[in-house]
Amino acid sequence: MTIEKIKKDINNNIGNEVRVIHNEGRNKIYECNGKIIEVYNNIFIVMSDDVKRSFSYRDILTNTIQISFKM
């Protein structure tokens, strides 16, 4: 998988529901369901429970986060 492929997948799912599992280190796992609301050159933003969280495309590439798209 490449950064370009990841960006394309994220762009194709703006406004759609996603599930994000984020490994925050030291056995801390953050899981949320939300929507991709904004996309920028290096990051994208997920809105979950009125909280905005930003993630980088590189996080997906390095498996720091796992994202699954709900169709």
Side-chain angles (χ1 to χ4, degrees):
M1 184 163 293
T2 64
I3 293 286
E4 290 79 23
K5 169 92 169 84
I6 294 167
K7 284 183 181 181
K8 183 178 176 185
D9 289 344
I10 297 294
N11 276 321
N12 289 339
N13 286 287
I14 293 174
N16 293 338
E17 290 284 327
V18 294
R19 177 166 179 79
V20 177
I21 301 172
H22 181 219
N23 181 356
E24 296 179 341
R26 295 195 170 230
N27 297 325
K28 294 179 185 174
I29 304 293
Y30 171 78
E31 296 183 35
C32 73
N33 293 316
K35 288 186 179 184
I36 300 172
I37 58 167
E38 297 177 46
V39 175
Y40 297 99
N41 198 24
N42 295 317
I43 64 168
F44 60 97
I45 299 179
V46 175
M47 175 72 91
S48 170
D49 300 324
D50 296 328
V51 176
K52 292 182 182 178
R53 294 198 44 130
S54 64
F55 302 100
S56 74
Y57 304 109
R58 202 166 300 278
D59 290 338
I60 298 172
L61 189 64
T62 60
N63 291 322
T64 303
I65 67 168
Q66 296 174 357
I67 189 166
S68 56
F69 304 105
K70 296 180 180 180
M71 298 293 171

